Amino acid sequence: MNPLMLELLPLVRQGYCCSQLLILLMLQWRDRQNPDLVRAMHGLCHGIGQSDGPCGLLTGGACALALAAGKGADSETAHPMLTPMLNDYALWFYERVNPYGGTACGCIAAGLGAVAGGETGGAPDAAACGDLLAECWEKILELLQSYDLDVTAAS
């Protein structure tokens, strides 16, 4: 198991999903807390409520990047390269999960060997998705660095 997942395991056991975990990582990286944002990210969990929607690692990753580079107040402007950075993340993600048959949470979970149903009520197995979550976080950090964005800076 990836060392990052060992760090996140207590949060997984507390019921946080992948999209929430990516936001929690970004908030931690920025030395901030925002329970309302973490709560809102719950809407992206398990392919948007097990609707076979996009994986929360795709949507949550986009939100994490936007948290670091997007516009959040009238006095702010988004980083000028936010859109290309989001596109880079999405393209990387599409390529990474292509062998699983699509970006839907269910496709990816099945491709990673997670068993649908069971104890989690149809939600993907966090352990099966853990390494992909770690890869996504590494990609997010790589993109922030390559676009010369300081995630700890105040927006």
Side-chain angles (χ1 to χ4, degrees), residues 25 38 44 52 56 58 75 101 129 134 152:
L25 285 168
V38 175
L44 301 177
D52 207 30
L58 172 60
S75 61
C129 298
T152 59

Side-chain angles (χ1 to χ4, degrees), residues 50 115-125:
Q50 297 175 354
V115 178
E119 293 178 29
T120 58
D125 177 9

Side-chain angles (χ1 to χ4, degrees), residues 8-92:
L8 294 176
L9 205 53
L11 295 172
V12 171
R13 287 188 179 128
Q14 292 174 32
Y16 292 101
C17 73
C18 52
S19 55
Q20 290 175 301
L21 292 171
L22 287 175
I23 284 297
L24 284 166
L25 285 168
M26 183 58 73
L27 287 167
Q28 179 183 8
W29 194 263
R30 299 184 80 204
D31 196 26
R32 297 194 181 165
Q33 293 183 359
N34 189 333
D36 288 335
L37 175 59
V38 175
R39 189 175 301 109
M41 295 300 293
H42 200 175
L44 301 177
C45 291
H46 314 301
I48 307 175
Q50 297 175 354
S51 67
D52 207 30
C55 175
L57 293 173
L58 172 60
T59 56
C63 290
L65 287 167
L67 178 60
K71 178 180 177 68
D74 291 346
S75 61
E76 297 176 355
T77 57
H79 188 280
M81 297 304 286
L82 175 60
T83 298
M85 188 168 44
L86 290 170
N87 285 329
D88 285 351
Y89 180 74
L91 290 172
W92 170 83

